[in-house]
Amino acid sequence: MAIDNAPKNPPGNPAPKKKIRREDALAYHSMGRKGKIEVIPTKPCATARDLSLAYSPGVAEPCLEIAKDPDLSYLYTARGNLVAVVSNGTAVLGLGDIGPAAGKPVMEGKGVLFKRFADIDVFDINIDAKEIDDVCRVVKALEPTFGGINLEDIKAPECFIIEERLKKEMQIPVFHDDQHGTAIISGAALLNALELAGKKIDQVKVIVSGAGASAIACTKFYISLGVKRENVVMVDTKGVVFKGRTEGMNPWKQEFASDTKARTLVEAAKGADVLLGCSVKGMFTQDMVRSMAKDPIVFALANPDPEISYPDAKDAREDVIMATGRSDYPNQVNNVLGFPYIFRGALDVRAKAITEDMKMAAAKALAELAKEDVPDSVSRAYGGEKFRYGRDYIIPKPLDPRVLLAVAPAVAKAAIEGGVARVQLDLNQYRDQLRKMQSRSHQVMGSIFTKAKKKLAKIVFPEGHHPKVQQAAEILREEGICEPVLLGPVDVIRESIKQQRLEELDGITIVNPEESPLYPKYVARLWELRQRRGLTYEEARRRMRTRAYYAAVMLEQGEVDGLVTGLTTGYADAVRPSLEVIHTRAGKRAAGVYIVVTKNDFKFFADCTVNIDPSPEEMAEIALTTADLARYFDVVPRVAMLSYSSFGSAEGESPRKVREATQLARQRRPDLEIDGEIQVTPALTADTRVPEFPFANLKDNANVFVFPNLDAANIAYQLLEAMGGAEVIGPVLLGMHKPVNVLQMGTSVQSIVNLAAITALRAQGDEFLF
């Protein structure tokens, strides 16, 4: 955990938030299919049989089973992943009581966030009911359909009564996000802000501007975190909520009436440690911020315009720790950090309620996550901005994918321990399940990770100085996938590991080639291997100073079991040392394969990196080695030899080459399901292939695609990745004498982990040749 705790102004004020044009917002919601959501079937509905299973008569069978045991609705319907977002439109954003129909775009938007961040399905329920009894009656009647209820944009004080009554009367989670979402997220921010300010939570004075649903929920939550009730002063439109006040009071405000002489926000703010705004624009002044205690904490959460702007607060006090609800300033308190993941954890244990302990677990998980090093993928999502735990980064960013893995298991654990979970989970397995849900490539790699762990291989990384390699090495070590060996300046790497707090790398092997006692031996070995290829001894000495050659000889000599390189070097330059030192296996040719992972499937694409225009013999060899690779992913290979022609439908040199390659491959491996030349559509679609080409050897759709040249293969995988939303794993280097893989330059930490795992599997012995 690296900490940036220096009070400072940002280098210039952040750019003002770009105003959304009215015309753009209206066009966004009205273009194409109207609104923002749709219902998509999860089961096939293409044939008459499918329809008879989806509806009558087949649907009667699950109906009868659920009638016997209502809990089977979680097995036979979508209920377990379905949340109702319920609103009566009486307090929509800052728009007030605009009614349920006018509030529907907001509720659809809430559904989009549930789906985008936690893969939870939502129906928005906008009800024409304002009386408490009517709202409760409608919502309670929805229980058989949903796994949880998210109450939204219902005005205070009715929202308090409605939520409390429904929580008592329903056996599924009921959560009013307007109250608790802000409380949980700002609570996480408060824990870290106090730590950075060096203050104890039971000693700080907290001033709350506002007395609505969010303000009251935040206050209650802060008290549950450890703030003393007597240290809280609440201020509403009538002034300080003090003991004995009668004007504008209600039971919820009365709970926080203070024994204080202060009667205004200005008076209350003097000497305060924390100033929380859940009110309106402009309520805080620079003078108020200046009057606060040392290292003041100001959470100005009014949206879209805060009680005081970030630049104004920073100009007033250099030592202020500031959070707002805006995305264009540091420390955004955004409810999307909470509700999707809280419901995810609650649904997955089939919780009866969302308890205070579950909310507390969510806040603490967010606070701890902010202290961890932030992956480059998050920085890229925010234009390359770097984040480090400190005054300008006290809570995670909304687009940080790790939030799901931190919050949902913490909530599930609290539900289990609190006795409200109907389903008991192994939390380690649950985290892995969430990773697979979040990343299709992680799901595909599951079998490889498991197999690689059976025998711990030593994998060398020439670019050991790079933080991405070090972060990947920690994951590989922590998961027991392989034992990394890092090459580079020893002191520099150890300092980098220390700065990143990569504790799993304590004791890791780090080698500086020029300082290694094996350097002279490796120079001699490289010269011996290449002296008849024009390499002088002096040139061998020079090359051995480059870590790529040192790593290649290290592998050739058996000091390590595999090699992963290429993060900072172009593919051709990265692979050259290994080709010169390791060579390909006898009779084999190197080729590069990408595993292309789509929403519902994954395919193997070859050759994407090495052979520019392979001969028929080379294409046949590529097909066979790629088929071998597929088997290690527990896939029965079905190989399509691709062309612009299908079985002689067009003439040309390329179709003839592919046809010959197919024949050669079939001769060498008669048991392999392979055919070609064939176009992509019949290779992928039985409806086209079977009637038009009933003689085809492909009995099912192809999963291994061998392209006629490098242009076609490289373009195809990149198009699917860039335009089709596919994830790619690789490239996996085939045909080498020993396990070597070359990364895409600048690739992600997870890609390094994936390729290292594949390398470790290949290192386990000849039974894993590909």
Side-chain angles (χ1 to χ4, degrees):
M1 176 183 72
I3 299 179
D4 182 3
N5 197 18
K8 60 182 182 296
N9 284 309
N13 291 334
K17 194 170 187 176
K18 186 177 180 182
K19 184 175 177 60
I20 298 294
R21 294 195 318 140
R22 175 178 179 274
E23 294 82 359
D24 292 340
L26 293 175
Y28 175 86
H29 285 79
S30 62
M31 64 183 180
R33 185 188 288 265
K34 310 310 178 190
K36 300 188 286 284
I37 57 175
E38 66 175 326
V39 176
I40 298 175
T42 59
K43 303 296 187 293
C45 298
T47 67
R49 181 177 183 275
D50 292 339
L51 295 177
S52 67
L53 289 170
Y55 198 58
S56 181
V59 73
E61 297 303 328
C63 291
L64 292 170
E65 293 302 309
I66 294 169
K68 298 174 192 173
D69 180 359
D71 278 351
L72 290 177
S73 62
Y74 289 95
L75 175 63
Y76 293 120
T77 77
R79 182 185 182 190
N81 196 53
L82 190 60
V83 167
V85 173
V86 181
S87 178
N88 63 2
T90 54
V92 179
L93 300 178
L95 306 174
D97 185 353
I98 60 174
K104 183 172 170 60
V106 177
M107 307 316 133
E108 285 191 358
K110 195 82 171 189
V112 170
L113 298 179
F114 267 109
K115 189 67 177 177
R116 162 64 177 81
F117 289 98
D119 196 26
I120 292 172
D121 299 316
V122 163
F123 290 147
D124 61 296
I125 310 293
N126 304 277
I127 58 175
D128 187 7
K130 291 188 176 181
E131 296 300 321
I132 290 172
D133 289 344
D134 293 340
V135 174
C136 289
R137 189 180 305 112
V138 171
V139 176
K140 188 177 177 182
L142 298 173
E143 183 166 351
T145 297
F146 295 97
I149 303 291
N150 183 98
L151 299 174
E152 194 77 17
D153 291 351
I154 301 172
K155 72 182 180 72
E158 288 89 335
C159 62
F160 303 126
I161 302 170
I162 289 168
E163 186 193 36
E164 283 306 312
R165 184 186 297 184
L166 291 173
K167 285 167 66 175
K168 291 175 182 176
E169 296 180 0
M170 299 181 76
Q171 292 299 301
I172 58 175
V174 178
F175 184 82
H176 185 206
D177 185 51
D178 299 311
Q179 290 185 61
H180 309 299
T182 304
I184 291 165
I185 313 310
S186 67
L190 179 65
L191 292 174
N192 284 339
L194 291 172
E195 179 181 281
L196 291 165
K199 298 183 178 184
K200 295 181 179 180
I201 195 166
D202 60 350
Q203 296 176 3
V204 293
K205 178 183 176 183
V206 179
I207 310 303
V208 181
S209 173
S214 180
I216 288 173
C218 286
T219 306
K220 286 183 176 180
F221 193 69
Y222 291 6
I223 289 170
S224 69
L225 287 172
V227 172
K228 297 284 188 178
R229 186 182 298 269
E230 58 267 28
N231 291 341
V232 175
V233 176
M234 184 173 284
V235 184
D236 66 4
T237 56
K238 307 295 183 183
V240 171
V241 177
F242 60 89
K243 288 182 178 179
R245 192 183 108 174
T246 57
E247 185 183 9
M249 294 297 286
N250 61 41
W252 296 276
K253 293 183 190 178
Q254 189 62 49
E255 182 179 351
F256 300 105
S258 304
D259 186 6
T260 176
K261 295 180 180 179
R263 292 295 181 264
T264 67
L265 183 59
V266 171
E267 293 172 358
K270 291 179 181 177
D273 299 285
V274 180
L275 189 54
L276 168 66
C278 296
S279 50
V280 294
K281 174 185 177 181
M283 286 299 296
F284 302 163
T285 66
Q286 289 185 317
D287 284 342
M288 288 168 57
V289 175
R290 291 188 189 103
S291 75
M292 295 175 69
K294 183 178 182 293
D295 292 310
I297 296 165
V298 176
F299 293 170
L301 305 183
N303 246 333
D305 298 306
E307 286 82 357
I308 184 172
S309 73
Y310 181 88
D312 284 350
K314 282 289 189 181
D315 286 345
R317 289 285 292 267
E318 186 183 62
D319 61 343
V320 68
I321 300 176
M322 176 78 173
T324 71
R326 292 181 56 138
S327 61
D328 51 346
Y329 298 132
N331 301 324
Q332 183 192 16
V333 174
N334 190 326
N335 285 18
V336 82
L337 285 167
F339 68 85
Y341 314 110
I342 292 166
F343 269 98
R344 180 77 275 160
L347 291 174
D348 289 338
V349 295
R350 212 179 297 167
K352 300 175 185 177
I354 293 174
T355 64
E356 291 304 310
D357 286 343
M358 292 162 72
K359 298 171 195 173
M360 190 82 67
K364 290 181 177 178
L366 283 169
E368 287 303 311
L369 181 61
K371 299 174 186 178
E372 297 182 12
D373 290 297
V374 181
D376 287 342
S377 59
V378 177
S379 295
R380 285 197 299 272
Y382 290 90
E385 185 180 355
K386 299 296 183 182
F387 304 107
R388 174 179 289 188
Y389 179 58
R391 290 169 179 257
D392 286 339
Y393 181 72
I394 56 176
I395 43 175
K397 304 299 284 186
L399 294 179
D400 190 334
R402 301 173 303 159
V403 177
L404 173 67
L405 306 179
V407 175
V411 170
K413 182 173 185 285
I416 292 169
E417 292 176 349
V420 296
R422 294 185 181 93
V423 173
Q424 304 296 306
L425 293 177
D426 180 305
L427 291 173
N428 290 327
Q429 291 180 3
Y430 179 50
R431 287 188 188 91
D432 193 53
Q433 174 189 324
L434 292 173
R435 287 191 191 99
K436 290 176 180 178
M437 181 194 81
Q438 191 177 59
S439 169
R440 290 162 286 159
S441 62
H442 189 90
Q443 185 172 2
V444 171
M445 286 296 298
S447 64
I448 300 299
F449 291 146
T450 300
K451 292 172 184 176
K453 293 176 183 179
K454 292 180 179 177
K455 181 180 177 182
L456 197 64
K458 291 173 68 175
I459 306 298
V460 64
F461 294 85
E463 291 128 321
H465 67 288
H466 201 287
K468 284 185 180 179
V469 169
Q470 295 161 13
Q471 291 161 22
E474 182 181 54
I475 295 170
L476 291 165
R477 243 189 168 199
E478 185 176 8
E479 297 291 330
I481 294 169
C482 69
E483 177 57 34
V485 175
L486 307 181
L487 300 190
V490 176
D491 291 341
V492 171
I493 292 175
R494 293 216 180 278
E495 180 60 27
S496 178
I497 289 170
K498 180 180 177 182
Q499 288 294 322
Q500 297 179 80
R501 295 182 63 86
L502 303 177
E503 296 174 359
E504 288 293 328
L505 297 187
D506 287 348
I508 193 171
T509 301
I510 304 172
V511 178
N512 187 339
E514 293 189 61
E515 297 174 357
S516 169
L518 295 174
Y519 174 76
K521 175 185 173 182
Y522 284 7
V523 171
R525 179 55 179 161
L526 178 61
W527 185 57
E528 180 184 356
L529 290 170
R530 304 296 296 175
Q531 59 189 342
R532 294 183 179 274
R533 300 292 183 93
L535 185 72
T536 66
Y537 191 82
E538 279 306 310
E539 179 63 14
R541 286 173 58 86
R542 188 190 67 79
R543 291 189 187 180
M544 195 50 59
R545 294 190 190 100
T546 65
R547 292 176 233 153
Y549 275 96
Y550 188 94
V553 176
M554 205 176 184
L555 176 58
E556 192 267 345
Q557 291 288 288
E559 295 291 333
V560 292
D561 304 304
L563 188 161
V564 176
T565 187
L567 181 63
T568 60
T569 311
Y571 194 91
D573 291 333
V575 77
R576 186 176 297 111
S578 294
L579 289 173
E580 291 179 0
V581 174
I582 304 300
H583 308 301
T584 56
R585 301 200 308 277
K588 302 290 182 180
R589 187 170 183 84
V593 176
Y594 275 99
I595 299 108
V596 178
V597 185
T598 59
K599 182 177 181 180
N600 299 313
D601 204 354
F602 63 100
K603 313 289 185 187
F604 298 81
F605 283 29
D607 168 22
C608 299
T609 59
V610 179
N611 297 283
I612 296 173
D613 186 15
S615 67
E617 292 79 8
E618 291 165 349
M619 271 195 76
E621 180 62 36
I622 291 166
L624 299 180
T625 51
T626 307
D628 290 339
L629 173 65
R631 289 190 175 92
Y632 298 118
F633 284 82
D634 298 327
V635 168
V636 176
R638 297 183 295 275
V639 184
M641 306 291 277
L642 295 179
S643 174
Y644 59 78
S645 168
S646 290
F647 306 114
S649 64
E651 290 300 321
E653 182 57 37
S654 179
R656 282 193 291 273
K657 177 180 79 169
V658 176
R659 199 176 306 136
E660 183 181 345
T662 305
Q663 293 168 354
L664 291 170
R666 195 176 287 143
Q667 290 168 10
R668 293 179 55 184
R669 197 78 62 79
D671 60 320
L672 182 63
E673 196 174 324
I674 182 171
D675 218 335
E677 85 285 11
I678 189 170
Q679 294 170 291
V680 170
T681 299
L684 273 176
T685 313
D687 288 348
T688 301
R689 183 177 64 254
V690 173
E692 292 189 23
F693 311 109
F695 52 83
N697 288 333
L698 292 173
K699 305 308 177 190
D700 205 341
N701 295 336
N703 49 32
V704 174
F705 296 102
V706 180
F707 292 81
N709 56 50
L710 188 60
D711 281 337
N714 197 273
I715 290 167
Y717 97 78
Q718 290 195 47
L719 273 175
L720 281 171
E721 183 179 23
M723 297 177 64
E727 297 179 20
V728 297
I729 300 168
V732 181
L733 188 58
L734 305 180
M736 296 298 290
H737 182 63
K738 290 193 173 186
V740 175
N741 274 303
V742 179
L743 300 160
Q744 280 184 297
M745 190 161 65
T747 194
S748 67
V749 171
Q750 188 57 52
S751 293
I752 300 171
V753 171
N754 290 342
L755 213 51
I758 293 170
T759 308
L761 175 64
R762 165 70 174 82
Q764 292 191 7
D766 289 343
E767 70 270 26
F768 293 102
L769 288 178
F770 42 77

